[in-house]
Each structure stands twice: as C-alpha cells, then as structure tokens.
Amino acid sequence: MTKILRTVAELRQQVHAWKADGLKVAMVPTMGALHHAHMSLVTHARTIGHADRIVVTIFVNPTQFGPNEDFDKYPRQEQQDVALLKEHKVDILYAPAVSEMYPPGFATTVQVSGLTSALCGASRPGHFDGVSTVVTKLLLQGLPDCAVFGEKDYQQLAVIRQSARDLDIPVDILGAPLIRDADGLATSSRNVYLSESERQTALLIPRTLQHITTTLEQGPNALCENVIAKARRTLQEGGIHNIHYLDIRDAQTLENITRVHNPARVFIAAQVGTTRLIDNMAINPASV
Ligand code: AMP
C-alpha cells in the first residue's frame, strides 16, 4: 500500500513517527514519469541505505527549468507512477503542489558555487539554483536518514552532496549507479520524446562515451582534448550536431584535466531532434 501525502506537515509527521519507532527512512526525490532506473534507487535505498521505509517524492520543479525548456510538456502520469510504486512496495509518495513548495512570498535560493560553473551549470543557467533549493527543502521537510540520487545526474549528485554538507543537513546523501536501457541509452523520462529514428541516432552517445573510456583506459597518456575532438567528429558524422558539452573531468572535483591519471568521468549533453539528453561514464585508468 502506497500512501499519498501532499503537505509538508503530513510528511514531517509520518517520518518523525517512523524514526521514533526506530525505523530507518530513505527519501528518493524524482520528477515522476517513473521508470526502472528510478526503481533501482528504491532498491539502493533498501540494500545500501538499509532503509525500512521509503518515501519517493514527485515534484516537477518549475524553478529548475529555463524559459525555453520543457517544463510544460514534461510527462506527468501520477496514476501510472503510483501503480509502479505499489509494485515496489514504496511506503509513501510525497507529491506536493507547486503552491505547497513555493507559497506566495517565497524568497530564498540555495546557490552552490564552483561545482555549478561548468557542464549543465553552464549550459542551463540557473538550473542548479532551482535543484539545490528544491532538494534542500525536500530534505528539511522530511528529514529522512538518507536520500538517494542517481549518477545519471552526476553533477547534480555532487552539488547536492556539497549543499547538504555546507548547510549541515543531517541526511546521508547516497549515489546510485547509472542505469541503461537494453540498447545502451541511459534511461530517462525524456526518452519518450524521441522518435524511433532519433533513438537510433541517440545510441551513438553511449557508444561514443564507451569508445572514449576504452581509449583513455588503454592509453592513459593520450591527451583528453585530442580524444574529445575525435569523438565530436564521430558524433557530428552520425547526425548529432548540437553538442552542448563533451568533457572529461576529475571524478571527484569535476575539474578539467589534461590526461587521465586519476579516476575521471566523461560527460555529455547533446540535443537529438528537440530532445536534450545527458550521459556520463567512469574512466578508471589501470594505474589507479
Ligand atoms: P528525474 O526524475 O529524472 O529528475 O530523476 C530522479 C532521480 O532519479 C535522480 O536522482 C536521477 O539521477 C535518478 N535517475 C534518473 N534516471 C536515472 C538513470 N538512468 N540511472 C540512475 N539514476 C537515474
């Protein structure tokens, strides 16, 4: 049985009661249109987070979308989502209205500097302010023991870890592995926007990341910029012309690197048709 809560007061009361009974509570924040990758975060909360009770949140947060982005057309399908949550024995769906999260007079923004200056922070101005603010609110509203975020949004995970640490939010932030569909495309609620032929084109993204990863793991002296330049050409020849970024960075600090001597990560955001897709992959040089 999945119970639906809409208000901060109900959420706070429920989590508080569970914790008073000695139960460990995990939160899994999402924007809905739930799929198997979201459910892998629920499993992660149970196995790695040792959670006894799970709260999944669904909130399509207006403040993290830019003016020309897909806020209005973002898929909203609560009934289907509830069915999936029931199947996975999720205890609570917390799905507040926009007016509950941002009542009239709301005036505070959480802004993380440094980590947000590159990648999605550069290509989606203001995006991470919206994310940090809403996630801070969700964590403080529920005060779960832990909260789980996917490495699909690797930079977002780093930003949330930073803000939770800086603001002394007493919630363990757990990262869960990126999940792919059977054909290799990173699972995403936005994949429903892709036509069949766009999806075929999009498959070049994970294939190119895999090629970059293999090249750098086998030849750690290669210059990242050369590998990236070649990969850009491959993507363009395959029909992906609008590359917002394709970048190799330190896996920990997200700083730019010249060669891969420590664990690194390759990041991409690119548009296929009208759909913006992101993906990333670990690069672990043999010497580490
Ligand atoms: P979203 O609903 O897309 O905002 O995602 C909600 C949470 O699910 C975020 O922590 C995402 O990183 C995570 N997530 C979404 N897609 C994936 C995926 N393919 N693999 C791992 N985590 C994911």
Side-chain angles (χ1 to χ4, degrees), residues 214-232:
T214 310
T215 305
L216 287 167
E217 286 181 348
Q218 290 173 358
N221 282 323
L223 276 173
C224 292
E225 63 178 311
N226 294 345
V227 177
I228 290 291
K230 191 158 171 261
R232 275 182 173 276

Side-chain angles (χ1 to χ4, degrees), residues 29-31 35 37-38 41 74 149-150 152-153 156 177-179 187:
T30 80
M31 297 203 298
H35 45 62
H38 291 122
L41 304 191
Y74 197 85
F149 298 86
K152 159 90 186 330
D153 301 270
Q156 168 176 283
L178 187 154
I179 303 293
T187 307

Side-chain angles (χ1 to χ4, degrees), residues 28-41 57 59 64 74 148-154 156-157 160 174 176-181 185-191 278:
V28 179
T30 80
M31 297 203 298
L34 300 177
H35 45 62
H36 64 111
H38 291 122
M39 293 305 106
S40 78
L41 304 191
T57 77
F59 183 62
Q64 71 190 66
Y74 197 85
V148 186
F149 298 86
E151 289 186 343
K152 159 90 186 330
D153 301 270
Y154 194 90
Q156 168 176 283
L157 171 61
I160 291 165
L174 305 180
L178 187 154
I179 303 293
R180 297 180 181 283
D181 289 350
L185 192 64
T187 307
S188 167
S189 305
R190 288 190 169 97
N191 291 350
I278 60 169

Side-chain angles (χ1 to χ4, degrees), residues 15 17-25 52-53 145:
V15 176
W18 281 333
K19 286 168 87 173
D21 284 345
L23 297 170
K24 191 158 184 196
V25 183
D52 303 300
R53 295 288 182 271
D145 296 286

Side-chain angles (χ1 to χ4, degrees), residues 81-123:
D81 289 347
V82 171
L84 193 62
L85 294 174
K86 278 188 182 156
E87 209 179 292
H88 288 262
K89 300 193 168 24
V90 168
D91 302 278
I92 296 287
L93 165 61
Y94 176 55
V98 171
S99 56
E100 180 75 5
M101 293 299 274
Y102 302 114
F106 186 87
T108 300
T109 299
V110 177
Q111 189 169 62
V112 175
S113 55
L115 277 175
T116 58
S117 62
L119 305 173
C120 286
S123 69

Side-chain angles (χ1 to χ4, degrees), residues 204 208 212 225-238 240-247 268-269:
L204 194 53
T208 304
I212 292 171
E225 63 178 311
N226 294 345
V227 177
I228 290 291
K230 191 158 171 261
R232 275 182 173 276
R233 284 197 293 278
T234 306
L235 289 164
Q236 278 158 358
E237 282 160 18
I240 300 179
H241 304 287
N242 194 349
I243 303 168
H244 296 189
Y245 57 77
L246 175 61
D247 225 349
I268 188 168

